[in-house]
Each structure stands twice: as C-alpha cells, then as structure tokens.
Amino acid sequence: MRGVWGAERDGSRGERALTAAKLMLGWVALLWLLEVADVISGHALDGFGIVPRTPSELVDVVPAAFIHFGFAHVAANSVPLLVLGFLAALGGIRRFALVCALIVVADGLGVWLISPSGTNTAGASGLIFGLFGFLLVTGFVERRPLGVLAGLLVAAVWGGSILAGLAPTQSGVSWQGHLVGLVAGVTAAFVFRRRRTSSGQELIA
C-alpha cells in the first residue's frame, strides 16, 4: 500500500475543483483540436484507431481514445467526458490519472481482442463508460456517503444512455469497447480505493 493523495494533499475543495475543471476543459479542447487536425489532414489520424487482432495495432491502444470519426462523434463524447471526468478528478488528480490510464489501456486491449474483424475503433466513449463505472461504485467501495450520492446521481442522469450503449444491436457503435470500459472503471474503483488510517492519512490500496 502506498500513502498518497488524500483530499488534504490536494488543497482546498475550491482549488481541487478549479484544477479538475481546467484539466477536463483542456482534455476536451485537445479532442476537438485533434479532430480539426484530422479533417485538415484528410482524416489521416483515423489510422490511430484500433483494428482488432493485428499486432501492429497494439501501439494504437492509447491514441485511439483521443481520436474521433468526425465532429458529431467528438461532440457526443464531450459533455459526458467533461462532467464525469470532472467528478472523478475531484477525488485527486494523481488517482484520476491512474484510473484513466487503467481504463484506457484495458479498454483498448479489450477492443483489440474482441471487436469484430475488419473494424476500426476509436473515441473516448470507452473512457466515458469507465468513468461512469468508477463513479457508480467507488462511494460504496470506500463507504463514503458523498461518493454514494454522487454515484446515484450519475446513474440517474446517464444510466439510460449507458445501458443503450451496451446494446449489441446498434450499428456502427462498439458495444464491446463500452462494456470493457465499464468493467475497467468498476475494477479501478477497487484497485485504487482509498482507506483512511487511524492517524487520518489516506492510502490507496
């Protein structure tokens, strides 16, 4: 176990909220800039999507989470990523980075393994589903009332969309990536759960 990143180490609530907001606004802005670059380049960046079970495509496991197929695609992902990412980042930027890294890598590898042959998968939706799963259960895992409340609110707002995104009947939608992302997010809630010691220090198990 490593002692890290309790709320007291991230400054005041206001400072943490401001940092989280800046981070996610910058993240979403980056996605839009990449899509602009993709359009200007004649969609050259689409090649960073993941083509399943092709060994050379393993290098695209992480970049694929930042690439989108058109402005409508990135627009659809922007608001949920901004809100869910902001809520997750309030718990500490360093833990948030670890959670996102686990989700992105696990989701990319899952897409590489189980998506249909001949497809090209990219986009931030796997991360979005992962952040949803993380926020949904982390309050229960850590036995934090505010976390439980946040998870219930997230479920109330996005639960229907999440269930729809898991349906295998939607054409052109990677339900496999959504499912793996969701599972990875729930896993991250356990892997990076925080525990408070008797001295008040917070540890990540």
Side-chain angles (χ1 to χ4, degrees):
M1 299 178 73
R2 298 166 56 189
V4 283
W5 321 322
E8 62 273 14
R9 296 193 178 191
D10 283 336
S12 70
R13 291 182 179 180
E15 290 172 343
R16 295 199 310 274
L18 181 59
T19 300
K22 288 180 178 179
L23 172 63
M24 294 316 302
L25 286 170
W27 193 319
V28 171
L30 173 62
L31 299 185
W32 281 90
L33 287 173
L34 287 172
E35 186 54 35
V36 170
D38 186 42
V39 171
I40 293 174
S41 66
H43 299 287
L45 298 185
D46 289 354
F48 287 99
I50 301 170
V51 177
R53 294 170 296 283
T54 302
S56 62
E57 291 292 306
L58 286 171
V59 298
D60 294 331
V61 161
V62 173
F66 296 85
I67 303 302
H68 291 79
F69 301 134
F71 289 114
H73 187 196
V74 71
N77 283 339
S78 291
V79 173
L81 178 62
L82 182 64
V83 176
L84 297 178
F86 171 77
L87 292 174
L90 287 176
I93 299 301
R94 294 181 183 181
R95 183 171 77 149
F96 175 70
L98 291 172
V99 168
C100 288
L102 187 154
I103 294 170
V104 167
V105 172
D107 185 60
L109 290 174
V111 166
W112 187 85
L113 283 170
I114 68 175
S115 285
S117 299
T119 57
N120 183 23
T121 303
S125 57
L127 175 58
I128 290 168
F129 275 67
L131 291 174
F132 174 87
F134 174 78
L135 291 168
L136 184 65
V137 305
T138 192
F140 294 95
V141 171
E142 298 177 355
R143 299 181 180 180
R144 295 171 181 265
L146 287 178
V148 171
L149 178 60
L152 293 175
L153 289 173
V154 165
V157 175
W158 273 288
S161 298
I162 293 297
L163 288 175
L166 296 174
T169 56
Q170 294 190 69
S171 176
V173 175
S174 176
W175 65 267
Q176 298 92 341
H178 294 171
L179 178 60
V180 175
L182 181 64
V183 173
V186 172
T187 301
F190 287 90
V191 173
F192 300 117
R193 67 189 183 278
R194 291 185 302 194
R195 292 177 176 174
R196 190 179 297 274
T197 67
S198 58
S199 64
Q201 182 184 19
E202 289 190 336
L203 304 172
I204 289 182

